[in-house]
Amino acid sequence: LRQVAEMLATKSNGRVKLEVFPGAQLGSNIDNIDQVSKGTLQMTMQNPVITSQLSPQIGVFAAPFLFPDLQSVYKAAASPVGQKIMEDLRTRRSIRALDPWYLGGWNLLTNKKPVHRCEDLAGMKMRVPPGPVLKDFLEQCGAGVVAMDFSEVYLALKTGVIDGIPMPLAIIESGKLHEVTKYVTLHTFLYDLFHPLIHEGTWTGLSPEDQKLIAETFAVGRDINEKLAAEQESGAVKLFETHKLQVDKSPDVPSFVRAAEKTWAKFESQWGGKEVIQQLREAAK
């Protein structure tokens, strides 16, 4: 984002200024997206788990095991049905979504016991981010879920308040989670996106030239971010080796998929029905 800010300033000769506030300086994720909807904040970056709080249809992009890899998620998001889902956010909440970026691939980290199959989660306390889809998926596997701010996770894992956490690999090192977990189920069950979101009034107040400049520069930023995320994910795997975490590279994927399918069935009406899911999966091929 800082590189995007520099490019925007250079290309516009200082006319377009993007200010970046990391570390929840402007409030929580939920606060930020609400502020963008009201126009008190111009932009935010949020993933479908958060964005679905305002537009439930977007929750389909937070569904575990729905897409096999990152490129398939990009294709689904860019498809007509994917664009229609994001258009609902604009018309109902005055938030325009630019092309999504890659947040990271979600895997499971635990400190109580290894998790090879879905049923191994039974009775374990797992922290989940806000949003019902991931919560339901873990509950389908028998886990107890705990809502908790990410800032509390490190200590909670260290003291045994929680037994594990689903987490994008790209965030593990920055959160130092490798220091307080023992086991990794190394299979990406969700390729998570996050969208640059801009208040519709802010967008329409820009000239067509500046709209084009912002959209194109954020697209370049997406490529930069994707490379950085790949480096962080590779670094996370090396951390597991260095800190001698027990890594299961071949878990029983079908057992997790069966649980995921139950979650899809539970939420499909919010996502627009089975037809929407089928269209997205077809577009992802």
Side-chain angles (χ1 to χ4, degrees), residues 23-80:
Q25 293 179 42
L26 300 180
S28 69
N29 290 329
I30 298 295
D31 290 337
N32 289 169
I33 198 169
D34 183 61
Q35 291 162 354
V36 171
S37 180
K38 294 174 179 175
T40 54
L41 184 66
Q42 286 74 49
M43 291 193 74
T44 186
M45 297 281 288
Q46 302 294 345
N47 73 339
V49 170
I50 301 299
T51 312
S52 65
Q53 306 300 301
L54 294 187
S55 183
Q57 276 189 294
I58 298 171
V60 69
F61 289 107
F65 291 102
L66 196 61
F67 304 108
D69 52 46
L70 176 59
Q71 293 307 314
S72 69
V73 188
Y74 281 155
K75 289 179 182 178
S79 70

Side-chain angles (χ1 to χ4, degrees), residues 62-217:
F65 291 102
L66 196 61
F67 304 108
D69 52 46
L70 176 59
Q71 293 307 314
S72 69
V73 188
Y74 281 155
K75 289 179 182 178
S79 70
V81 65
Q83 291 294 299
K84 184 179 179 182
I85 288 172
M86 300 312 297
E87 178 67 9
D88 182 68
L89 186 66
R90 186 185 70 82
T91 56
R92 293 179 58 224
R93 297 292 187 169
S94 297
I95 297 176
R96 177 180 291 266
L98 304 182
D99 288 342
W101 290 18
Y102 179 49
L103 177 60
W106 289 73
N107 292 250
L108 292 173
L109 281 75
T110 56
N111 57 11
K112 186 176 183 179
K113 64 177 181 179
V115 174
H116 177 70
R117 59 200 305 266
C118 170
E119 292 77 7
D120 291 335
L121 284 166
M124 296 182 71
K125 301 187 296 292
M126 301 292 290
R127 180 265 181 184
V128 295
V133 177
L134 187 54
K135 175 178 180 290
D136 185 81
F137 167 61
L138 292 173
E139 288 178 338
Q140 296 289 353
C141 291
V145 297
V146 180
M148 180 183 294
D149 190 86
F150 183 69
S151 62
E152 302 172 26
V153 165
Y154 182 94
L155 184 60
L157 283 167
K158 186 175 182 178
T159 58
V161 172
I162 56 175
D163 301 318
I165 182 171
M167 183 58 54
L169 289 178
I171 300 176
I172 288 171
E173 183 174 6
S174 61
K176 300 187 184 298
L177 301 183
H178 57 282
E179 298 178 355
V180 288
T181 51
K182 299 177 182 178
Y183 310 102
V184 182
T185 306
L186 195 61
H187 183 88
T188 298
F189 63 85
L190 172 63
Y191 291 87
D192 203 5
L193 305 178
F194 63 148
H195 286 84
L197 303 173
I198 184 168
H199 178 63
E200 182 66 7
T202 300
W203 181 260
T204 56
L206 297 167
S207 67
E209 293 76 17
D210 284 346
Q211 290 176 351
K212 183 172 184 289
L213 172 63
I214 290 171
E216 290 179 346
T217 306

